[in-house]
Amino acid sequence: MPHWILVSVRQGCVLGAVQADSLGRDGGFNRSLNAEWVMVKNTGRYAVALTGWTLTSRRAHVAYRFHQRLGGYQQVCVHTGRGLDTMRDVYQNRRTYAWDNYRDTATLRNDHRLVVDTKHWNHR
């Protein structure tokens, strides 16, 4: 009888720091929206194709879909508002806040919709 071995393939990417509450007054202005962000880090030495990966908020039920590669040991900051994407900063192009200041969960999923990492906060 054959022995089946389940091998887990580590994606190499995790959620890093989260700034769910932009500093100052939440006026809905683009500057305030972009002060709300989530960091995604590649902890491995090889590049990861993030194309098709998503970052979602439990609160907003809206997913940001990645369209880039993340180099080994690199990170990218996902801002809520509008802006021009670079290798280090990408923008969801939202006109409303994506993250609850006090209680929310960020979920990173790969292109097969499998959960790669989650980060929860509860500041109440």
Side-chain angles (χ1 to χ4, degrees):
M1 176 178 237
H3 289 71
W4 296 99
I5 300 172
L6 179 61
V7 178
S8 173
V9 178
R10 178 147 170 78
Q11 297 289 344
C13 289
V14 297
L15 295 173
V18 174
Q19 179 63 48
D21 186 6
S22 58
L23 302 175
R25 198 181 112 220
D26 286 347
F29 302 106
N30 194 50
R31 184 175 184 166
S32 178
L33 290 168
N34 282 334
E36 181 182 84
W37 49 262
V38 174
M39 193 68 69
V40 176
K41 296 179 176 185
N42 181 352
T43 60
R45 67 180 183 171
Y46 299 107
V48 174
L50 295 180
T51 301
W53 287 42
T54 58
L55 175 66
T56 56
S57 160
R58 188 184 66 178
R59 172 188 170 266
H61 304 290
V62 175
Y64 171 75
R65 186 171 301 278
F66 290 89
H67 301 283
Q68 70 186 84
R69 288 178 66 83
L70 188 57
Y73 305 115
Q74 298 293 312
Q75 59 187 13
V76 64
C77 187
V78 181
H79 300 274
T80 298
R82 297 177 308 276
L84 296 174
D85 291 349
T86 67
M87 295 296 284
R88 295 187 181 263
D89 296 281
V90 294
Y91 300 86
Q92 296 186 53
N93 293 317
R94 293 176 51 89
R95 296 181 187 272
T96 59
Y97 295 97
W99 308 103
D100 187 289
N101 294 351
Y102 303 104
R103 183 178 179 180
D104 206 342
T105 302
T107 303
L108 180 66
R109 287 186 173 85
N110 67 15
D111 55 340
H112 298 289
R113 296 198 284 182
L114 298 174
V115 173
V116 174
D117 197 16
T118 59
K119 186 160 258 189
H120 177 76
W121 57 94
N122 187 356
H123 301 294
R124 290 194 176 182

